[in-house]
């Protein structure tokens, strides 16, 4: 008995994974633009929430170490306290970004991820300091308002954009978990 030959599409011949889980229907290779925008907004929102939590952990840890009970254990040493606070916040934001923002990307090398994550955070801190330094030493602006605008506002915006790009392109680069993508509308 011979069976009629079924037409074979290009994606079946090329081994493309763009197949529907229901039957043998093919899905288009490209997602609709609205789905891409929604996914990007979700990742961006998650990234900002994780960053806000990291900011609170950084500020809270620093204030506990320096000002707990009037004069904390590291009151005479604010720079080491800030380094500890940044390190604690970096650990918190790493896991928040790994499991939530970029949770759809699975990695085989978490040590590499964390090393690059820490490296890009150091670069981002440098960008913030660069914005403050430019305002202070090039533009000769030294008021509290100018310091907060250049170092905190502009510097933080530049650093956040850099971090998001760097984390997505260089840190969390594992293969996408198809089942996680299917769960998102």
């Amino acid at each position: 008995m011979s069976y009629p030959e079924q037409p074979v599409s290009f994606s079946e011949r090329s081994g493309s994974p763009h197949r529907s889980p229901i039957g043998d229907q093919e899905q288009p290779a490209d997602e609709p633009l609205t789905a891409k925008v929604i996914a990007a907004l979700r990742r961006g929102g998650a990234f900002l929430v994780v960053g806000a939590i990291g900011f609170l952990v950084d500020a809270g840890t620093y204030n506990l170490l320096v000002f707990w009970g009037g004069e904390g254990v590291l009151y005479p040493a604010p720079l080491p306290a800030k380094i500890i606070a940044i390190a604690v916040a970096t650990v918190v934001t790493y896991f928040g970004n790994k499991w939530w923002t970029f949770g759809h990307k699975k990695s085989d090398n978490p040590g590499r991820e964390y090393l690059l994550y820490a490296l890009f955070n150091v670069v981002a801190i440098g960008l913030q300091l660069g914005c403050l330094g430019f305002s202070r030493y090039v533009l000769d602006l030294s008021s509290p308002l100018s310091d907060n605008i250049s170092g905190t506002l502009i510097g933080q915006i530049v650093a956040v954009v850099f971090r998001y790009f760097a984390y997505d392109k260089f840190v969390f680069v594992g293969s996408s978990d198809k089942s996680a993508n299917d769960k998102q509308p």
Side-chain angles (χ1 to χ4, degrees), residues 14-97:
S14 65
S16 173
H18 301 292
R19 303 196 37 86
S20 171
I22 303 171
D24 287 331
Q25 299 171 346
E26 290 182 39
Q27 292 180 347
D30 294 322
E31 293 179 68
L33 180 60
T34 55
K36 288 181 181 181
V37 169
I38 290 170
L41 289 174
R42 283 185 179 163
R43 277 192 305 275
F47 182 75
L48 291 175
V49 169
V50 169
I53 292 168
F55 175 80
L56 293 174
V57 168
D58 179 358
T61 303
Y62 178 80
N63 283 295
L64 283 173
L65 291 171
V66 176
F67 299 115
W68 179 263
E71 290 186 9
V73 295
L74 291 178
Y75 182 78
L79 293 181
K82 189 61 174 172
I83 290 169
I84 292 168
I86 289 171
V88 171
T90 298
V91 171
V92 169
T93 57
Y94 170 76
F95 287 109
N97 282 314

Side-chain angles (χ1 to χ4, degrees), residues 1 7 23 46 71 77 90 93 112 114 116 119 122-123 129 139 176:
M1 201 185 292
E71 290 186 9
T90 298
T93 57
R112 177 200 152 279
Y114 194 75
L116 286 174
L119 175 70
V122 169
V123 172
L129 293 175
L139 300 178
S176 288

